[in-house]
């Protein structure tokens, strides 16, 4: 089974802090994604990566950056956390770049910014 | 650009009743359509996907969905609801052109009454 793990299930940070959310997949997938999930808005794509050191902006990249130094690891960085970044963050991976590929999701990190 | 609309943010059914969750899409090119399910405190997992083969798609746990191009719909159904079906369900769309990442709907929370 594909396993996507996220470093924390719950995280509480203060405004202005730099926050790192880590995601690791164990199935040699090429593609990795970061989504934000908010009630009534569904999932919105923040960033994605098709290869190591490659990244592309999604629909809501403002205030976020990403890093993919190794194929299995994709990090989401909040350079200076703000209260409007309080949300559930979901990481996903897929095998190749095909449009019909299944995405496999981690359990999510619920981030609260005070 | 493509989009998805899920009608009804909350749906409540009795155990044993028909489940119908609605999804309409908008796309200028042929779409690929997905239904994902999120059980409480878990990440998303794929229920089923339409990839331009058969228009009636069968998925896991007894769910199925029918792609209707004339109605731009991909509604999810299950003949008989079970308590374990209580979850949030997300419809998503992608295409072969442009960004090959999923665009999600806002989600429908299914409640199953005993």
């Amino acid at each position: 089974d594909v396993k996507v793990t996220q470093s924390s299930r719950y995280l509480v940070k203060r405004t202005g802090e730099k926050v790192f959310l880590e995601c690791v997949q164990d199935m040699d997938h090429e593609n990795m994604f970061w989504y934000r999930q908010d009630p009534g808005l569904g999932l919105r794509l923040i960033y994605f990566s098709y290869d190591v050191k490659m990244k592309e902006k999604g629909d809501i990249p403002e205030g976020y950056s990403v890093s993919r130094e190794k194929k299995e690891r994709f990090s989401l960085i909040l350079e200076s956390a703000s209260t409007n970044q309080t949300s559930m963050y979901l990481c996903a991976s897929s095998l190749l770049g095909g449009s019909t590929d299944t995405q496999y999701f981690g359990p999510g990190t619920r981030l609260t910014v005070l | 650009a493509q989009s998805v609309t899920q009608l009804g943010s909350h749906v409540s059914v009795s155990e044993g009743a028909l489940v119908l969750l609605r999804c309409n899409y908008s796309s200028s090119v042929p779409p690929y359509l997905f239904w994902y399910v999120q059980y409480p405190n878990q990440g998303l997992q794929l229920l089923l996907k339409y990839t331009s083969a058969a228009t009636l798609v069968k998925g896991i746990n007894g769910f199925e969905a029918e792609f209707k191009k004339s109605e731009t719909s991909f509604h999810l159904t299950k003949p008989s609801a079970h308590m374990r079906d209580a979850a949030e369900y997300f419809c998503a769309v992608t295409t072969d052109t442009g960004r090959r990442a999923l665009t999600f709907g806002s989600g429908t929370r299914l409640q199953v009454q005993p």
Side-chain angles (χ1 to χ4, degrees):
Chain A
D1 276 356
V2 175
K3 188 152 185 167
V4 179
T5 57
Q6 296 184 230
S7 50
S8 306
R9 292 300 303 271
Y10 300 93
L11 207 53
V12 179
K13 296 293 182 181
R14 298 218 172 263
T15 302
E17 280 192 79
K18 189 168 186 176
V19 181
F20 292 87
L21 303 182
E22 305 286 342
C23 174
V24 177
Q25 49 93 4
D26 67 353
M27 284 301 291
D28 205 35
H29 282 181
E30 299 288 333
N31 308 291
M32 297 188 75
F33 308 83
W34 275 107
Y35 293 92
R36 172 177 171 160
Q37 181 180 8
D38 298 289
L41 296 178
L43 279 73
R44 293 177 291 167
L45 182 66
I46 305 172
Y47 268 97
F48 58 109
S49 169
Y50 286 136
D51 199 353
V52 175
K53 297 190 186 296
M54 302 292 287
K55 62 185 179 186
E56 290 196 36
K57 293 180 180 180
D59 297 319
I60 51 166
E62 297 79 17
Y64 304 95
S65 62
V66 290
S67 173
R68 194 167 180 201
E69 296 295 320
K70 293 185 177 182
K71 191 175 186 179
E72 68 271 17
R73 188 180 298 271
F74 193 36
S75 303
L76 180 69
I77 303 155
L78 287 66
E79 294 290 342
S80 177
S82 64
T83 55
N84 62 13
Q85 292 178 309
T86 291
S87 187
M88 171 72 88
Y89 291 88
L90 292 168
C91 175
S93 70
S94 65
L95 179 60
L96 297 170
S99 301
T100 59
D101 285 353
T102 298
Q103 289 189 19
Y104 295 87
F105 284 80
T109 295
R110 186 167 294 282
L111 172 67
T112 302
V113 182
L114 301 176
Chain B
Q2 59 265 21
S3 65
V4 163
T5 301
Q6 292 184 241
L7 294 173
S9 58
H10 289 82
V11 169
S12 182
V13 301
S14 299
E15 195 171 17
L18 171 72
V19 176
L20 171 61
L21 304 183
R22 299 180 186 273
C23 173
N24 288 90
Y25 70 90
S26 172
S27 177
S28 57
V29 296
Y32 303 117
L33 293 156
F34 302 74
W35 276 100
Y36 280 83
V37 61
Q38 185 178 34
Y39 297 105
N41 298 314
Q42 294 185 28
L44 279 69
Q45 65 182 88
L46 182 70
L47 268 181
L48 48 81
K49 60 182 175 182
Y50 165 73
T51 58
S52 75
T55 57
L56 181 62
V57 182
K58 295 187 184 298
I60 61 172
N61 301 337
F63 284 93
E64 64 181 37
E66 186 171 9
F67 173 71
K68 292 186 177 180
K69 184 178 179 181
S70 61
E71 298 176 11
T72 62
S73 68
F74 190 57
H75 301 330
L76 182 71
T77 61
K78 181 174 179 176
S80 177
H82 193 279
M83 297 295 291
R84 64 174 173 258
D85 297 326
E88 190 156 21
Y89 293 79
F90 293 93
C91 184
V93 64
T94 188
T95 67
D96 274 335
T97 62
R99 186 184 82 186
R100 288 172 292 171
L102 292 170
T103 299
F104 282 87
S106 56
T108 297
R109 186 167 296 280
L110 176 65
Q111 188 175 25
V112 182
Q113 308 280 5

